[in-house]
Amino acid sequence: MRTLFRWLFRLGLLAGVALFGYLVWLYFEIGHQVEPLVHYDPPKTTQIYDRNGKLVANVFDREHRLYVPYEEIPGRVVEALVAIEDTRFFEHHGVNPEAIFRAVIKDIKARKMVEGASTLTQQLVKSTLLSREKKIARKVKEALLAIRLEQELSKEEILERYLNAIFFGHGYYGIKTAARGYFRKDLDELSLKEIAILVGLPKAPSAYDPTRHYANAMARANRVLERMKTLGWIDEATYLREIKAAPKVYDDTLTLNQAPYIVDAVINRLVAAYPDIRRGGYRIDTAVDLEYQAMARDALKYGYDAYWKRHAKPKKDENVSDTFNGAMVVLDGRSGDILAMVGGVDYEKSAFNRAISSRRQPGSAFKPFIYETALNLGYNPESRIPDIARTYRFDEGNTSKLWQPKNYEKDYKGMITLREALVHSRNLATINLASEIGIATLHKKLEVFGIKDLPYNLSIALGNIALSPLQMARLYTVFADMGVLHEPRLVVTVTDDRGTVVEHHEPRGKRVYPAPQAYLLVDMLRDVVRRGTGRNARVRGMDVAGKTGTTNNSVDTWFCSFTPDVETVVWFGNDDNTPLPKRETGGRTAAPSARVFYQALVKKHPEFKRKFEEPEGVYHARRDGRDVLYTDISPLPAEEAAPVDEEIIF
């Protein structure tokens, strides 16, 4: 018997040595697997902000994670976590032998694995490097990797990785993400009860999700508080106060996307330069103002709803298409900053951004550029041009064709001033003005705007070109800022996850027209709104200048306008390019949306300027009992202009 025991002892010793040797070999064999945690670089959420520092949206790929360095984690968070999950965290070297022994005894009694003994380090290893299956081999590997990780990282580094890697339920990865999501707070703003709720989540994120199982979450949090009291880390008074607390929990979406058309535009603008835009943890500051964005969205919806009220019961001859939609752009006309951009009435139904991607004919909304060109050639708003019918002959291939443009009202006014022609959007007068200027001269003067595919014929006077609402907004800055053309600015600053500014954009503008000449046109556009085709955009007590645009058969309706502080462009039409019903024009369909926006703006910001400032170099005179304007370049005409030839060939 004694011999048998010796042999058993020797076999046991050999087995123990072999097992120890195997574990040592395995330790070094799998040691490299901790590298992803040593050099930790998890997917991080990119956040987009408006000009006032308000969050526009969270942008991420698979995991929504707001990373927080250890230095920014409050001590109470660490205490609460260690209290409930791993009291001896700062003493052990990756595994806790006492906890393992307790768990083994309980597992033996239950004849199955009922209790874990994982340290925080082991939990980190399991959640990031291993599967969750309860097998001996996996547990051994977990323990060895935890020991190895403790050799590579400090306790603080392990805690930092743990609190950023662990899933806290509801789609939140990391404790900063969970704090912002559940409580809309930063970590240093949390109450002790809120901290207890958060650190109680990793054990069972779904079961303790406070948005779904509030009572469970409170019970778990109270156990955290009780454990902290038992350890002497909080006093009785604190415990009694916090255990009664019932924090408000928010059930927000993960993206918190308040301006989806803006977000899409930002991502599309940056993705080529930053392929990791959805996982790199960038901060993107934009020129957008969420307050303006909401007002623009409401204003566009107002115009859309008004249209459908008019055509709730369409007549037999009316073409009412369910593809009717719109877009609105709001710029700071003095800088080009995109304050708001709504690419459609309902993003959920159509994510297509009409403000950027649609190309539509502006029609009469392009006329101001013809008139401004004339002013800079010496014409005056009081100069007279013929508003009479003309027939134009042109060649198309081997065929000679005739073009007979008409006014919208189907009448003629004879000789009228430039001001009246623009105020009432007279097509024939504008075409005759373009003919007087000459197509070659017009093209040369308009080159400064960089407009592609300008037609080399008189149809240019009626806006026969394809432009997006954003492009039209860019062009109109030359009037909004008294002769200075600004490039639209959406992205202001891009900052990487290390806090380094990797991209910054200043406003870009260049003077195209002298300020006095631009003001003459602004004054004419102000009359368009006061008493012309833009009357539906009038706002009591505020100067609004603008121009309507309506293409043939009302396929496109526009209103491009500005106040002393803000510029807006509104477009409505059918996505399938079919005509709108009769009498749908820029003045009727689009202008009311601009009015609603400006009214909301004045209500929010009564301090905004109400009147346009007249620049130096603009002079006043009396003519026919009226106050008229002139400049050194555009003196008052001495006599009426003579009629032009009856037929022009182009």
Side-chain angles (χ1 to χ4, degrees):
M1 187 62 107
R2 200 176 290 175
T3 303
L4 177 61
F5 278 123
R6 280 200 298 268
W7 278 105
L8 289 175
F9 174 77
R10 290 171 182 172
L11 287 173
L13 184 61
L14 286 173
V17 171
L19 177 61
F20 178 77
Y22 170 75
L23 292 176
V24 171
W25 172 83
L26 185 61
Y27 173 82
F28 289 104
E29 180 66 18
I30 66 174
H32 67 281
Q33 294 183 20
V34 301
E35 287 302 306
L37 283 172
V38 174
H39 305 287
Y40 189 52
D41 185 24
K44 295 178 283 291
T45 296
T46 288
Q47 295 190 292
I48 301 174
Y49 290 87
D50 82 344
R51 67 194 296 115
N52 301 310
K54 295 179 181 177
L55 180 68
V56 176
N58 295 312
V59 178
F60 55 91
D61 190 3
R62 296 179 181 177
E63 297 180 357
H64 176 29
R65 177 182 287 104
L66 303 176
Y67 198 90
V68 57
Y70 183 80
E71 298 75 30
E72 297 177 16
I73 300 172
R76 277 298 194 195
V77 171
V78 175
E79 289 176 357
L81 175 67
V82 170
I84 194 64
E85 290 290 343
D86 188 0
T87 308
R88 298 189 62 189
F89 172 73
F90 288 98
E91 300 171 25
H92 63 64
H93 299 288
V95 296
N96 185 344
E98 290 183 14
I100 293 174
F101 181 75
R102 286 196 308 269
V104 168
I105 296 300
K106 289 187 178 181
D107 290 346
I108 291 173
K109 289 180 178 179
R111 297 184 180 180
K112 61 179 180 180
M113 296 186 72
V114 295
E115 180 172 321
S118 296
T119 63
L120 287 175
T121 313
Q122 288 175 271
Q123 292 178 38
L124 175 61
V125 166
K126 179 174 65 176
S127 66
T128 56
L129 304 178
L130 303 175
S131 68
R132 290 183 172 272
E133 60 182 350
K134 291 187 176 182
K135 292 185 177 179
I136 296 297
R138 199 271 299 162
K139 292 294 292 182
V140 170
K141 191 174 182 181
E142 174 190 300
L144 292 174
L145 289 175
I147 294 170
R148 181 57 179 265
L149 189 63
E150 293 260 359
Q151 305 304 310
E152 299 284 345
L153 300 175
S154 68
K155 291 290 186 178
E156 291 76 15
E157 289 171 330
I158 291 171
L159 281 172
E160 177 177 324
R161 284 151 178 77
Y162 180 93
L163 287 169
N164 282 289
I166 293 297
F167 182 58
F168 284 81
H170 207 75
Y172 301 137
Y173 286 85
I175 196 164
K176 180 178 179 178
T177 321
R180 291 270 186 90
Y182 289 126
F183 305 116
R184 298 180 182 174
K185 294 181 178 181
D186 286 321
L187 290 175
D188 59 2
E189 299 172 324
L190 295 173
S191 69
L192 182 56
K193 186 59 169 285
E194 290 165 340
I195 291 172
I197 292 172
L198 294 181
V199 300
L201 282 165
K203 181 177 179 65
S206 297
Y208 296 131
D209 182 341
T211 64
R212 298 180 179 180
H213 308 289
Y214 190 80
N216 290 352
M218 293 302 103
R220 173 69 172 165
N222 289 341
R223 285 197 292 274
V224 174
L225 295 171
E226 185 178 355
R227 179 63 176 160
M228 294 181 75
K229 181 174 75 76
T230 300
L231 293 171
W233 294 355
I234 58 174
D235 58 29
E236 182 75 16
T238 302
Y239 170 74
L240 293 176
R241 182 185 69 247
E242 294 297 328
I243 205 168
K244 295 176 183 177
K248 183 177 181 180
V249 175
Y250 297 89
D251 189 6
D252 291 332
T253 63
L254 298 185
T255 61
L256 296 175
N257 194 336
Q258 299 189 65
Y261 288 111
I262 291 290
V263 172
D264 286 356
V266 169
I267 296 302
N268 291 337
R269 154 81 172 74
L270 295 174
V271 68
Y274 309 99
D276 63 340
I277 192 71
R278 294 181 179 275
R279 66 176 309 279
Y282 295 93
R283 177 187 171 110
I284 303 169
D285 290 283
T286 69
V288 173
D289 189 310
L290 282 176
E291 188 178 75
Y292 285 59
Q293 183 74 12
M295 289 188 287
R297 186 168 53 245
D298 292 344
L300 189 70
K301 187 65 164 56
Y302 173 88
Y304 178 83
D305 290 343
Y307 171 88
W308 283 113
K309 285 180 181 178
R310 293 193 293 272
H311 303 289
K313 296 179 179 180
K315 299 175 182 179
K316 290 183 179 180
D317 60 341
E318 283 186 335
N319 175 43
V320 178
S321 170
D322 60 4
T323 68
F324 179 73
N325 219 309
M328 187 170 186
V329 177
V330 181
L331 297 187
D332 181 337
R334 296 162 300 181
S335 67
D337 281 356
I338 299 176
L339 301 174
M341 179 169 59
V342 186
V345 174
D346 189 338
Y347 182 86
E348 293 298 321
K349 293 182 179 179
S350 174
F352 178 66
N353 193 336
R354 295 157 189 82
I356 292 178
S357 301
S358 64
R359 296 292 185 272
R360 311 293 292 227
Q361 290 190 14
S364 296
F366 193 73
K367 287 178 181 176
F369 298 93
I370 307 300
Y371 285 81
E372 183 64 53
T373 299
L375 293 173
N376 282 278
L377 290 173
Y379 286 75
N380 182 278
E382 299 302 308
S383 299
R384 293 183 176 271
I385 50 177
D387 182 47
I388 57 177
R390 292 283 186 256
T391 298
Y392 301 93
R393 184 184 302 132
F394 65 96
D395 294 328
E396 189 175 276
N398 297 323
T399 305
S400 181
K401 293 186 177 182
L402 299 178
W403 180 41
Q404 296 177 306
K406 296 179 175 60
N407 286 322
Y408 180 80
E409 296 83 356
K410 304 293 193 299
D411 63 357
Y412 316 104
K413 298 294 185 182
M415 298 300 293
I416 62 173
T417 64
L418 264 68
R419 181 182 294 274
E420 294 305 304
L422 186 60
V423 165
H424 300 291
S425 200
R426 307 296 289 184
N427 290 339
L428 295 175
T430 306
I431 292 170
N432 289 329
L433 176 62
S435 179
E436 286 185 17
I437 294 172
I439 296 301
T441 300
L442 270 177
H443 258 260
K444 185 175 181 180
K445 296 296 183 181
L446 293 175
E447 283 178 359
V448 67
F449 294 104
I451 304 171
K452 296 181 179 179
D453 302 321
L454 275 175
Y456 203 82
N457 55 54
L458 287 176
S459 68
I460 190 177
L462 302 183
N464 183 27
I465 50 179
L467 295 170
S468 71
L470 182 59
Q471 289 173 322
M472 284 297 289
R474 168 184 175 268
L475 295 177
Y476 264 71
T477 60
V478 79
F479 305 129
D481 198 23
M482 300 297 169
V484 179
L485 177 69
H486 292 280
E487 297 301 321
R489 183 174 69 156
L490 177 59
V491 175
V492 177
T493 303
V494 180
T495 306
D496 66 19
D497 61 342
R498 296 178 298 277
T500 302
V501 175
V502 294
E503 191 171 313
H504 178 73
H505 301 276
E506 293 289 342
R508 290 187 297 134
K510 62 179 178 181
R511 180 161 292 283
V512 175
Y513 301 130
Q517 297 307 108
Y519 183 80
L520 293 180
L521 199 284
V522 170
D523 190 60
M524 293 164 69
L525 293 177
R526 181 164 46 186
D527 267 358
V528 171
V529 176
R530 283 174 173 170
R531 57 187 179 85
T533 58
R535 292 186 301 275
N536 283 333
R538 287 179 295 189
V539 177
R540 184 187 298 272
M542 171 171 277
D543 279 351
V544 179
K547 183 67 187 76
T548 55
T550 310
T551 59
N552 287 342
N553 299 317
S554 296
V555 171
D556 298 292
T557 62
W558 297 77
F559 187 63
C560 305
S561 63
F562 51 94
T563 69
D565 284 299
V566 179
E567 175 199 330
T568 69
V569 168
V570 181
W571 168 86
F572 279 108
N574 291 329
D575 284 340
D576 60 4
N577 287 291
T578 55
L580 299 179
K582 293 179 181 179
R583 292 187 297 169
E584 292 298 335
T585 63
R588 189 184 197 196
T589 313
S593 289
R595 182 192 72 241
V596 169
F597 175 82
Y598 292 136
Q599 288 173 334
L601 189 63
V602 171
K603 188 175 181 180
K604 285 273 189 180
H605 296 283
E607 76 280 4
F608 276 12
K609 292 180 182 178
R610 302 300 181 96
K611 303 295 180 183
F612 292 115
E613 293 183 4
E614 184 178 292
E616 292 185 7
V618 177
Y619 313 115
H620 293 252
R622 301 293 294 178
R623 175 167 290 193
D624 299 328
R626 297 177 295 111
D627 182 65
V628 295
L629 305 179
Y630 66 97
T631 65
D632 293 333
I633 297 175
S634 299
L636 287 169
E639 58 185 26
E640 295 182 1
V644 298
D645 294 336
E646 285 295 319
E647 186 174 272
I648 299 175
I649 300 175
F650 69 97

